[in-house]
Amino acid sequence: MKRVSLADVANDLKVSKTLVSLVLNQKGDQHGISKQTQARVLAKAEELNYFPNQMARGLRMGKSGTIGLIVADIANPFYATIARKIEDETNKAGYNLIICSSDEKDEKELRLLKMLRDRQVDGLIVSSTLQRPNALADLKRLGYPIVLIDRAIPRLDVPAVLVDNYQGAFNLTKHLIDLGHKRIGHLSLSPVHISTLRDRLKGYKDALKAAGIKHQSSWILNIPFDDVRGTVEKELPAMIGGKKGVTALFTANNNIAVSALEVIRNMGLNIPHDMAFCSFDDIDLFRLMDPPITACAQPREEIAIESVKLLKDLIKKVGNGEAASADNLVLSTTLRLRPSTLNGNQ
Amino acid sequence: MKRVSLADVANDLKVSKTLVSLVLNQKGDQHGISKQTQARVLAKAEELNYFPNQMARGLRMGKSGTIGLIVADIANPFYATIARKIEDETNKAGYNLIICSSDEKDEKELRLLKMLRDRQVDGLIVSSTLQRPNALADLKRLGYPIVLIDRAIPRLDVPAVLVDNYQGAFNLTKHLIDLGHKRIGHLSLSPVHISTLRDRLKGYKDALKAAGIKHQSSWILNIPFDDVRGTVEKELPAMIGGKKGVTALFTANNNIAVSALEVIRNMGLNIPHDMAFCSFDDIDLFRLMDPPITACAQPREEIAIESVKLLKDLIKKVGNGEAASADNLVLSTTLRLRPSTLNGNQ
DNA sequence: TTGAAAGCGCTAACAT
DNA sequence: ATGTTAGCGCTTTCAA
């Protein structure tokens, strides 16, 4: 079961490994190796069914030809779409991609970071859930090119491709206000250290403030990551019910929205008649629901494309020993108005 | 920017690389290395921030500690969920996972297979879209442990974790028939060489036959992969409309369902009043739609768990030079009845 | 209880 | 136009 190596091809042909290596790496011409010999090498490699061992190659060249991607949750369509596109882009650039999912767990993210490091990935794209970015800072110091996506990490001097969460949330909230809503609820996740959620919360609050609405703490629900469904079931009815209940709801991501929509339906409420509803993070579901749900869409493909572009630049710079500036890229969102907010009443 | 190697640790300590290697791989006791020395090594490794180069390790040991996964489309929640679970399981078993998406493209699958091969993955889990399984057969012959998931490939003697697509489709169709429907449409994908789709089609046809319904070719629509939306928009209305139009629809996967539901809504039809609707492949969307959609759910977690288990066995067997039997595992599906079919009329 | 040396498969500097 | 050689960082016989 021994696999064919360069040496096998060389021996068969009674030439040197160098020669074979050169030819197989298209450096034949450049080194003035005769067309004839080149053809012989190619033919023999084909015949023996030779293919290069990337681990040996990587060891020798000091790089693996691999990029690591860590997303917060690969089962979330938002990240899945981005991952798919990033794979395309890295492939185009000649890299392979190792896709990992931290499942929003600090500890798992750390483990993944270590394993990617041990595998000598040539670069890293991370949507980080880490509270203390030490692990990332260490990797950066070790010379690993890192690009952040989706979530910013303060004080960590690496380039990032982000989305204007503040503006998106502001617009969404303002839209509800313009429809006449005065009591607007916001459902978010509880470890609000994550930049995206914080920014969305701020956009929401500022939009209220700008409209002269005094914000009530009972309008905000912070849901623990690991029990979205249960918490929404338990807490949402109180937020909605009563004379002072909210008349419109804005959820911070597609996950929360799904649970909230289910609870609202089970309460027998009608959207948009009894309650206006909108969410950050446009997904298929929103377009197809009855009524279709207003949402703030993120440019997922662009995030993927730009992050790979940044990473490629970074790899080149680090390779040349150049200083790398950490230029953040902030992409804007698109408000998709749909019936779930169109006939709001208050 | 040179990274710390085993030799660095050894030199600092004025001991041999062997010693350091042994200790770091928990083989210290076994080789009777004094506790004291072990402690010194551990401390120094920590101090220098040493971590092993997996490429060197892999090269030396002839294995990479990596499993490759190729799914047909990582952006599809069905595969994304499976991928996530497979990652968990492989991690538990001490492997890393390289997740790839073939995007239903033969040619891309081939490319991915080659790159995974070059990377010396220790095993492969594949949901293959390949028409001619030559590439897979070659890999198998080369000694790569391979497990198929989701889609079977005839004549390829490797273990597979499948789902009883025939039975699921049969049940779904029978359910429609039991509701009184006589004209039932089936939307599938056009390269029907994919085993899952073929089996679902067969289940559908057989259920009709069993009920004594003569099947009409106009009830079946085969949609090309790369233009689901467009084709459904163009062709579905004809299938539904008219005196002889179908009164119930069964889509072969979640993708098609989404497009079909959108078209049906745009036509102004009401589900289930004007048309009963159900689909293979239960996804969140179906539960949340109004009305909720009846679907045939696949045991995604089980697929993930079982495939990794099979692969681990296979790797062990191949490692020991044992013959590996290709035992297929066929899991059963769950019919989830929801309002989209409950009040069917014909 | 510890060390020397070989070698995994490849590339690249340096011959010739 | 082609070959020799060294070495990437690790594990593993074999020796001491």
Side-chain angles (χ1 to χ4, degrees):
Chain A
M1 200 46 71
K2 167 118 173 27
R3 284 162 196 169
V4 183
S5 77
L6 243 197
D8 296 328
V9 179
N11 288 339
D12 254 43
L13 249 30
K14 308 213 179 303
V15 299
S16 72
K17 291 190 292 174
T18 310
L19 183 60
V20 179
S21 170
L22 254 21
V23 173
L24 261 25
N25 289 299
Q26 359 268 8
K27 292 183 185 161
D29 291 338
Q30 171 184 334
H31 282 248
I33 290 167
S34 72
K35 286 291 176 204
Q36 206 183 16
T37 315
Q38 295 202 36
R40 282 176 59 226
V41 170
L42 258 12
K44 181 56 85 178
E46 178 77 36
E47 175 199 333
L48 294 185
N49 196 12
Y50 166 80
F51 49 89
N53 181 323
Q54 295 298 340
M55 286 193 306
R57 196 158 206 263
L59 176 59
R60 174 64 231 240
M61 309 211 301
K63 55 185 182 180
S64 61
T66 305
I67 302 288
L69 169 67
I70 304 182
V71 296
D73 181 7
I74 192 65
N76 183 323
F78 173 69
Y79 292 115
T81 318
I82 290 182
R84 174 177 162 171
K85 190 70 184 173
I86 287 185
E87 201 213 330
D88 281 350
E89 295 300 308
T90 47
N91 281 179
K92 264 189 231 161
Y95 291 99
N96 296 128
L97 187 67
I98 302 189
I99 304 176
C100 308
S101 175
S102 69
D103 303 340
E104 299 286 12
K105 295 203 182 54
D106 246 54
E107 157 241 321
K108 189 172 176 201
E109 179 174 328
L110 208 63
R111 225 182 60 224
L112 291 170
L113 242 19
K114 284 196 177 129
M115 88 85 171
L116 257 9
R117 176 200 65 186
D118 294 357
R119 285 207 182 278
Q120 322 283 124
V121 292
D122 297 339
L124 237 30
I125 300 181
V126 184
S127 155
S128 176
T129 185
L130 274 183
Q131 312 234 12
R132 295 155 310 115
N134 291 353
L136 283 167
D138 287 351
L139 285 183
K140 180 190 147 73
R141 206 167 318 115
L142 281 171
Y144 283 85
I146 305 176
V147 168
L148 257 27
I149 55 170
D150 183 46
R151 300 170 178 188
I153 298 192
R155 290 158 210 293
L156 186 66
D157 186 36
V158 307
V161 180
L162 308 170
V163 143
D164 195 341
N165 290 288
Y166 174 83
Q167 191 64 46
F170 188 99
N171 292 347
L172 219 39
T173 311
K174 179 161 188 310
H175 168 60
L176 294 172
I177 294 170
D178 289 346
L179 289 172
H181 291 278
K182 306 255 183 272
R183 300 192 304 278
I184 300 172
H186 181 56
L187 268 44
S188 187
L189 257 14
S190 74
V192 198
H193 66 270
I194 292 176
S195 67
T196 50
L197 300 173
R198 225 179 25 230
D199 293 350
R200 289 170 201 174
L201 177 62
K202 188 155 194 312
Y204 157 81
K205 283 184 175 171
D206 283 4
L208 290 182
K209 198 180 298 171
I213 298 178
K214 191 157 172 303
H215 152 268
Q216 310 274 114
S217 69
S218 67
W219 295 350
I220 294 181
L221 180 57
N222 280 317
I223 302 162
F225 266 130
D226 40 13
D227 187 28
V228 172
R229 175 68 48 103
T231 308
V232 171
E233 265 169 13
K234 212 173 64 189
E235 309 286 352
L236 187 56
M239 186 193 242
I240 296 176
K243 278 258 185 297
K244 289 296 179 189
V246 301
T247 62
L249 220 45
F250 157 34
T251 55
N253 71 21
N254 68 54
N255 241 336
I256 306 175
V258 167
S259 289
L261 286 167
E262 218 164 357
V263 169
I264 291 171
R265 171 193 299 159
N266 290 342
M267 291 174 70
L269 297 177
N270 174 280
I271 294 173
H273 183 72
D274 302 321
M275 150 100 32
F277 190 98
C278 63
S279 178
F280 219 92
D281 245 17
D282 196 25
I283 54 175
D284 275 356
L285 174 70
F286 293 160
R287 210 182 57 240
L288 291 158
M289 293 264 317
D290 189 21
I293 306 291
T294 292
C296 179
Q298 308 191 55
R300 305 181 230 180
E301 302 232 320
E302 223 181 322
I303 293 173
I305 293 172
E306 295 299 331
S307 61
V308 174
K309 199 188 288 174
L310 280 181
L311 187 61
K312 273 166 36 184
D313 285 358
L314 197 54
I315 290 176
K316 199 184 302 169
K317 281 187 186 155
V318 170
N320 298 340
E322 291 174 40
S325 56
D327 11 325
N328 281 12
L329 200 61
V330 179
L331 307 175
S332 44
T333 57
T334 310
L335 194 53
R336 299 218 209 282
L337 299 184
R338 303 208 181 91
S340 75
T341 58
L342 288 193
N343 320 298
N345 78 338
Q346 53 292 337
Chain B
M1 201 45 69
K2 166 118 171 25
R3 285 164 196 167
V4 183
S5 76
L6 243 198
D8 296 329
V9 179
N11 289 339
D12 254 42
L13 248 30
K14 309 218 180 300
V15 298
S16 71
K17 291 190 293 173
T18 311
L19 185 61
V20 178
S21 171
L22 254 20
V23 172
L24 261 25
N25 289 300
Q26 358 269 8
K27 292 182 183 162
D29 291 338
Q30 171 184 335
H31 282 247
I33 290 167
S34 72
K35 286 291 175 203
Q36 206 182 20
T37 315
Q38 294 201 35
R40 282 175 59 224
V41 170
L42 259 11
K44 179 58 81 178
E46 178 77 37
E47 176 199 331
L48 294 185
N49 196 12
Y50 167 78
F51 49 88
N53 181 324
Q54 295 297 341
M55 286 193 306
R57 197 158 206 264
L59 176 59
R60 174 63 230 242
M61 310 212 300
K63 55 186 182 178
S64 61
T66 305
I67 302 288
L69 168 68
I70 304 183
V71 295
D73 181 8
I74 191 65
N76 183 322
F78 172 71
Y79 292 114
T81 317
I82 290 182
R84 175 177 161 171
K85 190 71 184 170
I86 287 185
E87 200 214 331
D88 281 349
E89 295 300 309
T90 47
N91 281 178
K92 264 189 229 160
Y95 292 100
N96 296 126
L97 186 68
I98 302 189
I99 303 175
C100 307
S101 175
S102 68
D103 303 341
E104 298 286 11
K105 296 202 178 57
D106 246 56
E107 158 242 320
K108 189 172 175 200
E109 180 175 330
L110 208 63
R111 225 182 62 223
L112 291 170
L113 242 19
K114 285 197 175 127
M115 90 85 172
L116 256 11
R117 176 200 67 186
D118 295 357
R119 287 223 174 303
Q120 320 284 124
V121 292
D122 297 338
L124 237 31
I125 300 181
V126 185
S127 155
S128 177
T129 186
L130 274 183
Q131 314 234 12
R132 296 156 307 115
N134 291 353
L136 283 167
D138 287 350
L139 285 183
K140 181 189 146 71
R141 205 170 316 115
L142 281 170
Y144 283 84
I146 305 177
V147 168
L148 258 27
I149 55 171
D150 183 47
R151 300 170 178 189
I153 298 192
R155 291 158 210 293
L156 187 65
D157 185 36
V158 307
V161 180
L162 308 170
V163 143
D164 195 340
N165 289 287
Y166 174 83
Q167 190 64 46
F170 188 98
N171 292 347
L172 219 40
T173 311
K174 179 161 187 310
H175 168 61
L176 294 172
I177 295 170
D178 289 347
L179 289 172
H181 291 278
K182 305 254 183 274
R183 299 192 303 279
I184 300 172
H186 181 55
L187 269 44
S188 187
L189 257 15
S190 74
V192 198
H193 66 271
I194 292 176
S195 67
T196 51
L197 300 173
R198 224 179 26 229
D199 292 350
R200 289 170 200 172
L201 177 62
K202 189 154 193 313
Y204 156 81
K205 283 184 176 169
D206 283 6
L208 290 183
K209 197 180 300 171
I213 297 178
K214 191 157 174 304
H215 152 267
Q216 311 273 114
S217 69
S218 67
W219 296 349
I220 294 182
L221 180 57
N222 281 317
I223 303 161
F225 266 129
D226 40 13
D227 187 29
V228 172
R229 174 67 48 102
T231 308
V232 172
E233 265 168 14
K234 213 172 63 189
E235 309 287 351
L236 187 56
M239 185 192 248
I240 296 177
K243 278 258 185 293
K244 290 295 178 191
V246 301
T247 62
L249 220 45
F250 157 32
T251 54
N253 71 21
N254 68 53
N255 240 337
I256 306 175
V258 166
S259 289
L261 285 167
E262 218 165 358
V263 169
I264 291 171
R265 169 191 300 156
N266 291 342
M267 290 173 70
L269 297 177
N270 174 280
I271 294 174
H273 183 73
D274 301 321
M275 150 98 30
F277 190 98
C278 62
S279 178
F280 218 92
D281 243 18
D282 196 27
I283 55 175
D284 274 356
L285 174 70
F286 293 159
R287 210 181 59 241
L288 290 157
M289 293 264 317
D290 192 18
I293 305 292
T294 291
C296 180
Q298 309 191 55
R300 305 182 230 179
E301 302 231 322
E302 224 180 323
I303 293 174
I305 292 172
E306 296 299 331
S307 62
V308 174
K309 200 188 288 176
L310 280 182
L311 187 62
K312 273 166 37 185
D313 285 358
L314 197 54
I315 290 175
K316 199 184 301 169
K317 282 188 186 154
V318 170
N320 297 340
E322 293 174 41
S325 56
D327 11 324
N328 281 11
L329 200 61
V330 179
L331 308 174
S332 45
T333 57
T334 310
L335 193 53
R336 298 217 209 282
L337 299 183
R338 304 208 180 92
S340 74
T341 58
L342 289 193
N343 319 298
N345 79 337
Q346 53 289 341

